[in-house]
Amino acid sequence: KLPPRKTAMGTIKSFISLSSVVLITGTALLGCDENQDLGGSCDEFTAFTTPVVPPETVYRVIPLGELNPPEDVLPAVSGGFGFNQGTVNIVSPGAVVITSVESTEYLVSPGRQGVTDFGLVMHACDDIKIHLAHIVTLDPSLVEKLGQSNCETFAGADETTEDCRYNVNIKLEAGDPIGVTGTYQNGSPTGLDFSAVDLSYQIPYLNPDRIGDIESYNHGICSYELFEPAIASAYLDNASSGLTPLDRSDRCGTATG
């Protein structure tokens, strides 16, 4: 079963040591039908025993709070995996229920024309919701179960997209194929967004009057907590890959240290 949720200080320590990831960019976290089977009580949930992507393909994981100027000047609430190879298979990490699938097809774009990007939401249990985004190709076993879609076309200054949403109830077991990521149809590389929320958990140090009712802010958890320790460690060994450690030595007359 999952460890108890942490206090504010414990959560900060988890950010440093566990590189929590919570998604808001890419495809938005989706709602679901209240009557859907979402996997049952989270009291019965046990840690995932299967990596969602092979750890050996991951060269870094993106931590909560990462800054990426000039595009992202506020601490990010998104994260996931960067890969060291072009094709990466995605599989179900355990017994889950996919409740929503979204696709974005770039009909007109200076850099992404012809690209289709998929995202999905799956439940490990009633309150734990996991989001994947930047799936390049869905596995055929999922495509055949999508059913009726709700699609809209959006035209912006530079890009025109067709966005489709499918409300589904697809049960998967550990190791079942989900799709492929790593390289888009036009040859450009992509990572995989991977985040989780626990709707029974409220992050204690946030002011809901300022944040609003945004799931990934209010209920975000470290998605690596969902895996057994060996898998979590295999991912987190890459948490700071390529980064230069900060010099935290005290310097008189400055705020450094």
Side-chain angles (χ1 to χ4, degrees):
K1 295 183 179 179
L2 290 177
R5 297 292 170 219
K6 300 172 178 62
T7 62
M9 182 56 68
T11 305
I12 293 171
K13 290 179 180 178
S14 290
F15 159 62
I16 296 171
S17 63
L18 294 179
S19 302
S20 306
V21 290
V22 184
L23 176 75
I24 188 77
T25 57
T27 311
L29 280 170
L30 305 172
C32 58
D33 188 330
E34 292 180 356
N35 296 319
Q36 281 186 311
D37 176 7
L38 302 178
S41 170
C42 291
D43 291 339
E44 304 302 320
F45 175 76
T46 56
F48 291 141
T49 58
T50 302
V52 67
V53 292
E56 63 270 19
T57 68
V58 176
Y59 81 89
R60 70 178 297 233
V61 296
I62 302 170
L64 178 70
E66 181 176 75
L67 299 176
N68 184 33
E71 292 87 358
D72 302 315
V73 295
L74 297 175
V77 289
S78 63
F81 305 105
F83 300 110
N84 57 25
Q85 63 185 56
T87 301
V88 178
N89 292 319
I90 310 165
V91 302
S92 175
V96 298
V97 180
I98 299 176
T99 57
S100 302
V101 175
E102 282 195 350
S103 67
T104 297
E105 181 180 1
Y106 292 87
L107 304 176
V108 177
S109 172
R112 296 187 283 186
Q113 188 157 331
V115 167
T116 301
D117 202 358
F118 291 92
L120 60 82
V121 170
M122 54 190 183
H123 280 253
C125 51
D126 290 345
D127 291 323
I128 296 177
K129 184 187 297 188
I130 303 159
H131 185 217
L132 302 179
H134 304 309
I135 302 169
V136 176
T137 305
L138 282 181
D139 191 81
S141 63
L142 296 184
V143 173
E144 67 182 16
K145 298 175 182 177
L146 291 182
Q148 185 75 25
S149 65
N150 180 19
C151 298
E152 295 182 271
T153 300
F154 297 93
D158 299 316
E159 293 183 323
T160 300
T161 64
E162 183 180 56
D163 298 347
C164 298
R165 175 174 175 174
Y166 305 81
N167 292 320
V168 297
N169 193 279
I170 303 172
K171 295 182 179 181
L172 299 180
E173 298 297 329
D176 286 347
I178 289 177
V180 174
T181 189
T183 304
Y184 282 124
Q185 294 89 344
N186 64 356
S188 62
T190 181
L192 179 72
D193 287 342
F194 176 71
S195 66
V197 297
D198 182 345
L199 300 180
S200 69
Y201 171 67
Q202 177 72 41
I203 295 178
Y205 52 84
L206 296 182
N207 182 348
D209 292 334
R210 299 188 66 184
I211 295 297
D213 187 22
I214 302 176
E215 281 186 357
S216 52
Y217 279 103
N218 288 290
H219 307 292
I221 61 173
C222 174
S223 47
Y224 305 113
E225 285 184 354
L226 302 178
F227 292 96
E228 62 179 15
I231 298 173
S233 295
Y235 285 141
L236 296 171
D237 285 345
N238 299 304
S240 58
S241 175
L243 302 180
T244 302
L246 294 175
D247 179 4
R248 299 188 180 276
S249 57
D250 289 329
R251 298 179 186 177
C252 294
T254 74
T256 303

